[in-house]
Amino acid sequence: MDRYLRAGRLATFAYFTLNGFLMGMWIVHIPGIEHRAGISHALLGWLLLLLGAGAFAGMQATGPLTDRFGSRTVVPLSAALCSAALVLPGLAANAWTLGAALLVLGVGNGCLDVSMNAHAVQVEQGYRRPVMSAFHAAFSLGGVLASLVGARTLSWNWSPVTTLGAVALVGLAGTALAAPALLRPAAASRLVDAAAPAVNAPAVNAPVVNARRKTPRHIWALATLALMIMLSEGVANDWSALHLRNVLDAPAATAALAYGAFATTMTLGRLLADRVAARFGPVAILRHGASVAALGLTAAALSPWIPLALIGWAVFGAGLSGCIPQLFSAAGHADQGAAGTNVSRVAGLGYLGMLAGPAVIGPLTHVLPLNLTLFLPVLCCVTAAATAGIVRPSHHAPALREAETV
């Protein structure tokens, strides 16, 4: 394998890990930042919407910019913005400054999310086999690292601004070190051309012939499925522990294991999903993964026993683990001249689903028991399984079509 391609893959791992680490450090310090700003939990909830709004705006703006200037240029700039913006919430002294800080941090996160996924598509083309899931696993590992580092600095009584400032400097340094290894568009094209007949191999990051063309329906369909899958992930993030605590009367420490089980199998599944996708194809990953997720969450929702509920949440995470990477990969490979724009559409709607899931479950609990509201994400998973054929590689992605056997 070409050493430039290997270096580009390692750099992509670095940026995914950095993104997970940066956002994890923000999450770890939410209580301290909330206290410094002197705001209530309710107001914090509203301010977090600004983080989501900034991310969505950053995603939509970065897609076309990545197509125009290349991910090699946009990824380091986005990572630098996200790193520098991390310190801003720690400096916030009131609701207004915290809201502005979260908006900027959200923009940085959205920009980095789309641009690094677009670069991951370049790397995947060069390898001519699925590698996307491992990058998403690196993001999860970055979050784990943040929890460990955050726990240590909090035990040392470091203030949020001190810790976040130090992490911002580390992020900027890491960004500078990894940037030279990112693939150049022309080099990435040569790697693909060397591995396949020129008549079939699309140019990576090729110039967009018509930058104003409409996003194809196929991409919006992928984005809709991303919304459903990430809505399901959002429900697990915010409601898994509450499900065990409120429905099954589990002790607080035991209830926390529900999210731990989900997150652990999600990470492990993403580490393994690329090999499975290379053997059976992306359709199988999405179809069977979403089906397993639906079965796992159904078991958790209906179980009268805590151990079975924990197993259900773990199975839910394992099933979902490989789904989103397949959708991102399918969007990026659909049209190499508009890979950034297409990924931004899928990531943007998916992110809205992540935010909407927990918000939708809350009102539903006023009319249904909490465990029955979990059948909303079950329905989303069933829909994804039924429509999994949408990720089947097309003529736009010959590099990955060979792996499709389902």
Side-chain angles (χ1 to χ4, degrees), residues 159-263:
S159 67
V161 67
T162 300
T163 303
L164 297 182
V167 171
L169 292 176
V170 171
L172 291 171
T175 295
L177 289 174
L182 293 173
L183 299 179
R184 298 179 184 276
S189 296
R190 287 195 297 272
L191 288 169
V192 174
D193 292 340
V199 67
N200 288 329
V204 179
N205 271 15
V208 180
V209 176
N210 180 8
R212 295 182 180 274
R213 63 173 178 253
K214 292 182 179 180
T215 300
R217 293 180 180 178
H218 175 75
I219 298 301
W220 287 119
L222 291 170
T224 301
L225 286 185
L227 183 149
M228 293 181 180
I229 295 297
M230 293 185 73
L231 181 149
S232 302
E233 289 186 28
V235 169
N237 293 342
D238 286 18
W239 291 96
S240 55
L242 287 172
H243 165 245
L244 261 71
R245 181 69 171 155
N246 296 342
V247 176
L248 300 179
D249 294 322
T254 302
L257 294 177
Y259 175 69
F262 171 83

Side-chain angles (χ1 to χ4, degrees), residues 48 61 66 71 78 137 238 244 317 324 403:
L48 288 175
T66 301
S71 54
S78 300
D238 286 18
L244 261 71
I324 282 296

Side-chain angles (χ1 to χ4, degrees), residues 68-394:
R68 181 174 181 180
F69 298 106
S71 54
R72 179 182 170 89
T73 299
V74 179
V75 170
L77 293 176
S78 300
L81 173 60
C82 192
S83 298
L86 182 66
V87 73
L88 298 180
L91 295 170
N94 53 53
W96 293 102
T97 53
L98 180 57
L102 292 180
L103 184 64
V104 176
L105 179 60
V107 170
N109 179 48
C111 292
L112 181 55
D113 192 316
V114 166
S115 59
M116 70 184 185
N117 273 287
H119 187 267
V121 170
Q122 287 183 239
V123 174
E124 191 169 60
Q125 273 216 322
Y127 272 83
R128 296 182 61 78
R129 60 180 173 84
V131 296
M132 182 69 78
S133 292
F135 294 136
H136 286 252
F139 177 90
S140 299
L141 292 175
V144 173
L145 179 61
S147 68
L148 297 175
V149 172
R152 174 55 62 187
T153 58
L154 287 171
S155 71
W156 291 339
N157 293 319
W158 286 20
S159 67
V161 67
T162 300
T163 303
L164 297 182
V167 171
L169 292 176
V170 171
L172 291 171
T175 295
L177 289 174
L182 293 173
L183 299 179
R184 298 179 184 276
S189 296
R190 287 195 297 272
L191 288 169
V192 174
D193 292 340
V199 67
N200 288 329
V204 179
N205 271 15
V208 180
V209 176
N210 180 8
R212 295 182 180 274
R213 63 173 178 253
K214 292 182 179 180
T215 300
R217 293 180 180 178
H218 175 75
I219 298 301
W220 287 119
L222 291 170
T224 301
L225 286 185
L227 183 149
M228 293 181 180
I229 295 297
M230 293 185 73
L231 181 149
S232 302
E233 289 186 28
V235 169
N237 293 342
D238 286 18
W239 291 96
S240 55
L242 287 172
H243 165 245
L244 261 71
R245 181 69 171 155
N246 296 342
V247 176
L248 300 179
D249 294 322
T254 302
L257 294 177
Y259 175 69
F262 171 83
T264 299
T265 55
M266 170 76 77
T267 302
L268 292 176
R270 284 179 170 174
L271 289 172
L272 299 173
D274 286 330
R275 292 182 179 273
V276 179
R279 174 66 179 84
F280 298 103
V283 176
I285 290 287
L286 183 56
R287 176 177 295 144
H288 300 306
S291 298
V292 167
L295 290 174
L297 188 54
T298 297
L302 298 181
S303 173
W305 304 295
I306 292 174
L308 180 57
L310 289 173
I311 292 173
W313 283 109
V315 172
F316 185 51
L320 287 183
S321 60
C323 295
I324 282 296
Q326 307 314 312
L327 295 173
F328 278 30
S329 181
H333 290 292
D335 180 354
Q336 294 310 306
T341 299
N342 291 340
V343 169
S344 73
R345 300 294 187 258
V346 174
L349 271 189
Y351 197 83
L352 288 181
M354 180 76 78
L355 296 175
V360 170
I361 294 296
L364 283 178
T365 59
H366 293 298
V367 294
L368 292 172
L370 174 56
N371 62 319
L372 294 184
T373 66
L374 298 180
F375 281 93
L376 173 62
V378 168
L379 179 60
C380 290
C381 291
V382 170
T383 302
T387 58
I390 196 171
V391 298
R392 180 172 285 109
S394 67

